[in-house]
Structures are given as structure tokens and as C-alpha cells.
Amino acid sequence: MTLQRRHLWLFAFSTLLLGACSGMRPTSEAPRPPVVFVHGNGDSAALWQSTMWRFESNGWPRERLHAIDVPYPLARDADNRPQAGRTSTAEHMAFLREEVQAVLKRTGAAQVVLVGNSRGGNAIRNFICNGGGQNLVSHAVLGGTPNHGVQAIPGVNEANEFSGTGPFLSQLNAPKNAQGDEVCGPAKWLTIRSDNNDKFAQPDGLWIGMKGKATNVTFAGPELKGATNVVIPRIDHRETSYSAAAFEATYRFITGRTPALDIQTEASVLLNGKVVGLGLNPIDAQSGNFVNNLPLAGASLDVYEIDPLTGQRKGAAVHQKTVGADGLWGPFKGTSQAAYEFVITAKGYATTHIYRSPFPRSSGIVHMKPERVAEADRSAAALVSFVRPRGYFDPPRDSMRLDGKTSLPGVPPGAGVASSKLRLDDKIQRTVAAEFNGERLVGLTWPMAEGRTTVLELTY
């Protein structure tokens, strides 16, 4: 049996086991349990968009799907030391607990399903095992969570929550019973990992700034003893949660059934979300910007319908709004056949032109942020960013193209980079296109001299 066939067999066999390991089988008569999605380090609720569409397409009520936005989503460098614009494990867990309690109150359900990516899984484990969530969660799904650390080198940054030898993960991984299980009952647990393509589950420290040094973490680092552990070949760190394959494994585990993977299209779509920005670190201005999910009040957003072949606007703006204290830029009613350009204007940022492929379904988590242009890029006539929020670019694995070229600037071999930046000398506005595994985006270049930049943002 070849290595590739063995990996495929492992995935197929694991998914067959999910039904036996799942105690919940919703029927048409029984209400579907509420699902709370928990994003990863530095991310936002927006990454769960396509996953939620797939749940909806399999009969899950939209009002029973809830993705949280951690205001400050980055972990502290040292969990035991306050750090501006970052959250500790205790703060992260407390925020999740409040969100779960709100969902239970709103839905009247007794329990929720928790689904987390990467750092989101840390908060889920902490909540269930240490934060009073043991009886509030029926199923816990962890995609790509570094359960045994991104590195497990004794004495190396052990105060960080991602240290496999540090106090946070050591107490979570301590045996819970005579069998040595690392999970807390009575919740049922699923982990999803890559066979070898997760940048944060690598035996070599290349992707964490320690090239050539052993991390003491294996490809199986995300697995937990006592959980159902599924391996999906060649998926990357984010795809452990946001891919169709990860959805299938998750759905099987929760329901014991095989889902349809196609996203069902709605004729008209209602879109909304937040405009968020980058904040200046109030303690150390030299440290630059920190990631947050806070509303960018005062920003303005315009929406234009565009020609999907050229990126040219079809007319005047179809939606305009100045963002208020809640950060919301909608609601905007559009169609699933149309392609749109979103233009964000905000003080201190470049005017950002975001191009997306058509939205097949409604969504309230279409979050967007304007760009800040690096000093080194200001000399370009035009700047185009090609981004994949729900996964990484992997040149040996993926079929991709940007402005006619198959080699993406700044994207090395291996699934570790989610954006590519193209600097252009063209002073005349023109069409620019990008493709990734069948998804195609088309937009226009905009003059950097006017403080404008283009973002081609993939949905899948």
C-alpha cells in the first residue's frame, strides 16, 4: 500500500468510526443543537462563513449557528504577563464561557456543540475542563489545535500557551483517568489533523522561526488520547477546520450521518458584517499594530456590482454606509449571481478595494478590514494583495495563478503563507485576475499615488 493510499484509507476508516463514537443523531423531529464556532489565533468569526453555509445546506437552522469574535484574538507572548492588545488563556476562556451562556439562553438548549480551530481549541479545552463547561457541551471538535504545543522543548518560552512543556498545556494534557485519557468527560471529543502539512505540527521548527531545530512535536501533535482522531491527507493548518473535508468529518461526528458537501444557493442574499482595523499598541508605539476584532467606527463602505470578467463597475454604488459604534457595514441585500467590489475608506488606512467571488448564501459575518501600506510598497504604481483567509497557498499541491503567473510572489513551497503581494509599475488602470483551485477573482488596479490598494480575497 502506497503512503498516499494509506493516508486516504486512514481518513476513510476514521470517518466510518465517527458514527459509532457519536451519541447525538438529530432527526427532523428533534431540534438541531446550537453550534458555537471558535476561531484561531489572530483570526475572526468570518473564517467560519463557508462552514456555516455547509451546515445550513444540510438543514441546520441559521439561528442555531454562532461564530464568536474574540476582541483581542492574539495570545500573549507569556501567558502570565499582561500584554496590551492580547488575551491570556483565562481571558480567552472567560469570553467563550459568556458566549456559550448567551447562546444557551437565546436558544433554550441545555448543551452546545463547540467547534474550534487552532487556538480556539485551547479555549474549548480550558472551558470544558477548568471553566465549568463540562456539562454544557455535548461534542467538542478541535481542528489543528496544537494540543501538545507548537514546540515542546524544555526551558524554551514555557510561559507561552503554545509550549508543550509549559504549565498551560501540561495541566490540560495530564491523565484524566486510569487509561491516561487527555480529554474531560462527558463531552465527546474529535480532533482533526493533517498527515504532515500543518505548519504548527512539524518536527522541524521552520515555520516558528527555529529552522533546523527539533521541536519535539510530531505530525500527530493535535491528537488527544481518549478522543476520536481523524487524519486528512495534505490539508493545511486552517483547512483542518475550514475545508469541506473537515466539515464532513465534523458533521459525521455530531450527527452520525454523511452530509452533502455542496453549498445550496439562495437567489437573494442578505449580507452584513463588521469593519475592523488595526490598533496602535498604547504601551509601545514602536511595536506598531496589533490585530483586533474591534469596530472601526467612522469608516465608510461602498458596494459596487462589477463585471465578473473585467472588474469594471456596472454603475453607481448599490450600498453605502458610514460605520457606527457597532462596526456593522450592512445589511445589504444582493443576489448570489453578482460579483461585488467593497470599498473601505478610513482615516489612517489606504482606501481598500476588496473583490470577492459571488456569495451563494446570506451571511452576517462578512468581516472586512482596510489595509495599511508598508513604506517599502509606496513606490509601486499599484499594489495587489491576493489572500486566502481559510487556508494557505501550497505551490506543490494547489493550482493557482495571479496576474497570469503561476508563481506567486512571497509564497515558498509548503503550506505556510496565506497571502501574496504583487507590486505593479502599471500607471494605467487595468484588470487583474487571480485563480485558486477553481475559484476565480477579478478586480481592477488602483493608483498607489492616491493611497488606494486592491485586495483579491478568496472565499474557499
Side-chain angles (χ1 to χ4, degrees), residues 306-358:
I306 62 168
D307 185 317
L309 299 179
T310 67
Q312 294 286 348
R313 295 172 181 172
K314 289 189 173 183
V318 292
H319 176 76
Q320 294 179 305
K321 185 173 180 179
T322 298
V323 173
D326 59 6
L328 296 178
W329 61 264
F332 160 62
K333 188 174 182 179
T335 71
S336 57
Q337 290 76 39
Y340 296 104
E341 170 196 358
F342 301 85
V343 184
I344 307 174
T345 306
K347 185 178 180 180
Y349 295 85
T351 299
T352 304
H353 301 257
I354 302 173
Y355 296 88
R356 296 277 302 265
S357 51

Side-chain angles (χ1 to χ4, degrees), residues 39-389:
H39 62 74
N41 198 41
D43 291 330
S44 78
L47 273 66
W48 296 106
Q49 183 181 81
S50 55
T51 301
M52 293 172 76
W53 285 339
R54 290 187 173 100
F55 269 95
E56 292 173 12
S57 297
N58 282 275
W60 226 276
R62 183 170 292 154
E63 64 272 12
R64 296 180 82 83
L65 300 169
H66 179 76
I68 75 171
D69 266 316
V70 180
Y72 298 105
L74 284 172
R76 292 176 177 179
D77 291 333
D79 192 45
N80 58 351
R81 290 202 301 269
Q83 187 174 6
R86 294 179 179 240
T87 53
S88 67
T89 55
E91 291 167 336
H92 196 191
M93 184 262 285
F95 183 83
L96 173 59
R97 180 171 54 208
E98 291 178 3
E99 294 284 304
V100 168
Q101 290 171 342
V103 168
L104 291 174
K105 182 178 180 180
R106 175 172 57 82
T107 62
Q111 291 183 312
V112 300
V113 173
L114 293 181
V115 180
N117 175 251
S118 192
R119 189 194 184 206
N122 283 355
I124 290 172
R125 296 184 71 194
N126 203 14
F127 171 55
I128 295 175
C129 297
N130 303 319
Q134 191 170 25
N135 295 315
L136 300 179
V137 181
S138 64
H139 295 67
V141 179
L142 314 180
T145 296
N147 288 312
H148 296 93
V150 299
Q151 59 85 13
I153 307 171
V156 175
N157 198 16
E158 290 187 316
N160 184 270
E161 74 174 86
F162 301 117
S163 166
T165 56
F168 176 70
L169 287 179
S170 292
Q171 58 87 21
L172 281 179
N173 293 332
K176 306 299 188 291
N177 53 32
Q179 290 72 45
D181 288 346
E182 298 171 306
V183 296
C184 306
K188 296 176 174 62
W189 295 82
L190 170 71
T191 74
I192 304 173
R193 71 168 177 92
S194 177
D195 55 346
N196 60 14
N197 205 32
D198 185 334
K199 66 186 289 186
F200 295 122
Q202 294 291 322
D204 183 88
L206 170 65
W207 294 111
I208 58 172
M210 300 168 63
K211 183 179 179 180
K213 187 174 181 63
T215 63
N216 297 332
V217 174
T218 70
F219 301 135
E223 294 187 358
L224 289 172
K225 187 172 183 180
T228 299
N229 298 297
V230 168
V231 181
I232 304 177
R234 295 303 299 161
I235 57 173
D236 62 49
H237 181 64
R238 287 181 175 171
E239 288 173 341
T240 58
S241 290
Y242 308 122
S243 64
F247 163 74
E248 181 177 26
T250 298
Y251 189 92
R252 281 179 181 268
F253 181 69
I254 298 169
T255 69
R257 298 180 176 183
T258 303
L261 298 184
D262 291 340
I263 296 172
Q264 295 181 2
T265 302
E266 298 175 318
S268 62
V269 295
L270 190 66
L271 303 177
N272 205 343
K274 293 189 299 185
V275 176
V276 300
L278 294 171
L280 186 66
N281 189 318
I283 292 179
D284 180 8
Q286 297 304 313
S287 67
N289 304 311
F290 58 84
V291 175
N292 66 71
N293 288 317
L294 303 178
L296 189 58
S300 64
L301 186 137
D302 299 348
V303 183
Y304 297 87
E305 184 176 351
I306 62 168
D307 185 317
L309 299 179
T310 67
Q312 294 286 348
R313 295 172 181 172
K314 289 189 173 183
V318 292
H319 176 76
Q320 294 179 305
K321 185 173 180 179
T322 298
V323 173
D326 59 6
L328 296 178
W329 61 264
F332 160 62
K333 188 174 182 179
T335 71
S336 57
Q337 290 76 39
Y340 296 104
E341 170 196 358
F342 301 85
V343 184
I344 307 174
T345 306
K347 185 178 180 180
Y349 295 85
T351 299
T352 304
H353 301 257
I354 302 173
Y355 296 88
R356 296 277 302 265
S357 51
F359 292 81
R361 298 184 65 82
S362 300
S363 176
I365 53 171
V366 186
H367 297 347
M368 290 177 279
K369 64 178 62 180
E371 297 278 296
R372 281 201 173 115
V373 178
E375 195 63 38
D377 295 327
R378 294 185 182 278
S379 60
L383 192 65
V384 177
S385 295
F386 183 30
V387 298
R388 188 182 178 221

